[in-house]
Amino acid sequence: MGGSYFRTTNLLSLFLGVILLLSGPASAQLRQNYYAKTCPDVENIVRRVVTAKFKQTFVTVPAVLRLFFHDCFVSGCDASVIIASTPGNTAEKDHPDNLSLAGDGFDTVIKAKAAVDAVPRCRNKVSCADILTMATRDVISLAGGPSYPVELGRLDGLSSTAASVNGNLPHPDFNLDQLNSMLAKRGLSQTDMIALSAAHTVGFSHCDKFSNRIYNFSGQNPVDPTLNKQYATQLQGMCPRKVDPRIAIDMDPTTPRKFDNAYYNNLVQGKGLFTSEQVLFTDRRSKNTVNTWSSDSKAFNAAFIQAMTKLGRVGVKTGKKKNIRFDCGRFN
């Protein structure tokens, strides 16, 4: 990476710092190099664990990325999605919307936490929420996406219930208004939403999440007319009627193992897998952004970094509603 990248990153860091000052008392506790005195090597420790997992399986990338999204969207970025259910409580991870979260995401965070706590001066100093945030940045970078400075200082939440998930995660059939509304409640703009949607440039989907678009879209159109015809035929071949529900396919049909702006090229070509994706191109309010980012990877990367930073500020825990967990999977 050349000098221009670092200049851009430095300017972006300054811009994000200004936003942080305006974003309220909870997220104001976040800052880069938060652990400089308590655990100065924490980012390298986490990165080593994430890199080892990535070398074992590419699934680590979408698994960690989805874990971060599902955590932050529900009750803020507090690692509550990692908590295991107990006889007295059904936790977030066991809500139907979270059952498809891949185990590699949880395993990455748990192993990174163990590696951090194995360093005496770091033990019980770094939250699971921050470890998930760092791991998310690292998997994006390992998959070819942008690297960026992460704000740290989150604490772990003390509550995790399946009921809290209801209505708090976007669904594959959402239209633009529904997507914008859900993001606006978390302080995120339409531009942020379009940028974050590119997380689907990596990862997999089960056939039942989009089967209505290729078999029974409407009475007049069994196949969604916004779908590229060749792509629709390809999807029918991979996901026949009454397919095994465990079958999953790549969400990005062109570069499924690379985090890049090909996601937007796919939308321009009618190859968005979900209604909630293709609408970003079919709705005139978002179409121009999709067109721009389909041909300008630098502009997309900058927007994605900004959106991820803003998402990472959602629901930061303060006061008595937090601590640092000894074990990411259970409360202290």
Side-chain angles (χ1 to χ4, degrees):
M1 290 179 286
S4 62
Y5 169 82
F6 291 105
R7 286 195 295 272
T8 301
T9 300
N10 289 336
L11 287 172
L12 185 60
S13 298
L14 178 62
F15 172 68
L16 293 175
V18 172
I19 290 178
L20 178 59
L21 293 175
L22 304 175
S23 61
S27 60
Q29 72 192 43
L30 301 181
R31 64 180 184 273
Q32 294 172 27
N33 301 315
Y34 179 87
Y35 298 102
K37 293 182 179 179
T38 54
C39 185
D41 201 35
V42 64
E43 294 196 42
N44 288 327
I45 297 169
V46 172
R47 189 175 294 113
R48 284 195 291 268
V49 172
V50 175
T51 301
K53 278 288 297 184
F54 173 78
K55 289 178 178 177
Q56 290 172 2
T57 172
F58 183 83
V59 174
T60 301
V61 176
V64 171
L65 191 50
R66 280 193 77 210
L67 196 64
F68 179 74
F69 275 55
H70 283 231
D71 184 46
C72 294
F73 266 78
V74 172
S75 55
C77 307
D78 64 355
S80 54
V81 73
I82 303 175
I83 290 291
S85 295
T86 62
N89 177 63
T90 303
E92 287 176 35
K93 69 183 295 186
D94 288 320
H95 185 281
D97 287 351
N98 282 334
L99 292 178
S100 61
L101 290 171
D104 286 288
F106 297 94
D107 187 52
T108 300
V109 176
I110 290 166
K111 284 182 175 175
K113 170 71 169 170
V116 171
D117 283 351
V119 178
R121 71 180 296 180
C122 299
R123 186 168 299 135
N124 301 329
K125 298 289 196 305
V126 183
S127 69
C128 300
D130 274 348
I131 288 173
L132 174 55
T133 303
M134 288 182 268
T136 301
R137 182 268 310 273
D138 293 339
V139 295
I140 290 166
S141 177
L142 285 165
S147 187
Y148 51 92
V150 286
E151 297 173 344
L152 302 170
R154 295 164 195 79
L155 291 164
D156 298 325
L158 302 181
S159 174
S160 179
T161 65
S164 65
V165 180
N166 293 332
N168 281 313
L169 292 171
H171 283 207
D173 59 351
F174 271 14
N175 60 34
L176 192 70
D177 290 329
Q178 290 170 308
L179 291 168
N180 281 338
S181 175
M182 178 160 283
L183 274 288
K185 291 175 183 175
R186 291 153 181 83
L188 299 165
S189 68
Q190 175 175 287
T191 301
D192 296 326
M193 180 272 293
I194 300 170
L196 293 174
S197 296
H200 285 174
T201 190
V202 291
F204 321 91
S205 171
H206 291 94
C207 295
D208 63 348
K209 298 298 182 184
F210 57 86
S211 60
N212 66 304
R213 296 188 70 205
I214 57 176
Y215 290 118
N216 55 350
F217 183 72
S218 70
Q220 289 133 345
N221 295 297
V223 177
D224 185 341
T226 66
L227 260 179
N228 177 293
K229 290 183 179 179
Q230 184 178 358
Y231 184 48
T233 301
Q234 182 183 347
L235 291 175
Q236 288 172 336
M238 293 185 289
C239 293
R241 293 180 189 272
K242 298 181 179 179
V243 67
D244 185 326
R246 294 170 294 183
I247 296 296
I249 69 162
D250 293 323
M251 289 189 285
D252 181 341
T254 53
T255 56
R257 288 176 173 256
K258 186 177 180 183
F259 190 99
D260 57 16
N261 66 324
Y263 174 82
Y264 301 103
N265 283 304
N266 293 336
L267 299 185
V268 171
Q269 295 170 32
K271 295 180 180 180
L273 188 60
F274 305 130
T275 301
S276 60
E277 296 182 311
Q278 196 57 51
V279 72
L280 302 180
F281 185 71
T282 58
D283 193 305
R284 60 180 178 78
R285 294 171 292 174
S286 48
K287 184 174 184 176
N288 286 342
T289 303
V290 171
N291 274 325
T292 298
W293 290 346
S294 70
S295 58
D296 190 339
S297 60
K298 288 185 178 179
F300 158 63
N301 284 345
F304 183 78
I305 291 169
Q306 181 177 336
M308 286 293 284
T309 303
K310 289 170 68 175
L311 179 59
R313 297 171 183 159
V314 173
V316 172
K317 297 298 182 287
T318 58
K320 296 180 180 179
K321 297 180 179 178
K322 47 62 180 174
N323 63 17
I324 291 177
R325 267 178 237 146
F326 304 127
D327 177 344
C328 293
R330 62 182 179 85
F331 298 120
N332 293 348

